[in-house]
Amino acid sequence: MVELSHSDFRSLVRVIEHARTQLEEAGDSDAETIGNASGADLLSLLYPRVGTAVARGCGVALLVSEIRHLEAAVVNLETYGGHETALIEGYALLERLDALRGEATTAQLVDGILTLPQPAPHAPCG
């Protein structure tokens, strides 16, 4: 699991929502295919994690395997003529996530929601 900053989460949402819109406008797919191909299925998993992340004061938990949803969104934006800004933002986010893969941590559940482990508190030096 990697830590997605709140800024990176907003980027992810923009890219995925743009991909979903482009695929819906193309009109060649059903809702299930659009949800999968645009990466929109990931958002329903992430929204509860965002609330927990805000409450705990940390980043958003993202499984390394879930990065494929963003990859699908970016590839489909390329295919369906997505806005250049969304493509640039998507590729930049993929690069950051690729760098974070090496720092992946173990997930934990808090009230049934996947979260990042909280860092140990620092003890004052005496």
Side-chain angles (χ1 to χ4, degrees), residues 23-37:
L23 288 165
E24 286 175 346
E25 288 176 1
D28 354 337
S29 302
D30 60 38
E32 183 179 344
T33 301
I34 290 171
N36 190 29

Side-chain angles (χ1 to χ4, degrees), residues 77-97:
L77 277 175
E78 287 261 5
T79 304
Y80 288 93
H83 194 277
E84 184 177 348
T85 304
L87 282 166
I88 290 169
E89 190 170 27
Y91 279 118
L93 182 54
L94 283 172
E95 282 182 27
R96 285 192 298 280
L97 291 174

Side-chain angles (χ1 to χ4, degrees), residues 2-3 67 92-104:
V2 297
E3 181 173 355
I67 296 171
L93 182 54
L94 283 172
E95 282 182 27
R96 285 192 298 280
L97 291 174
D98 192 47
L100 289 173
R101 285 179 201 242
E103 301 171 19

Side-chain angles (χ1 to χ4, degrees), residues 19 36-39 67-77:
N36 190 29
S38 68
I67 296 171
R68 68 181 170 80
H69 293 281
L70 177 61
E71 291 168 341
V74 172
V75 165
N76 282 303
L77 277 175

Side-chain angles (χ1 to χ4, degrees), residues 1 11 20-21 31 37 48 54 56 60 64-65 70 75 77 90 97 99 101 107-108 119 124:
M1 161 172 307
S11 292
R20 184 185 54 78
T21 300
V54 168
R56 294 175 60 140
V60 180
V64 171
S65 63
L70 177 61
V75 165
L77 277 175
L97 291 174
R101 285 179 201 242
Q108 70 181 50

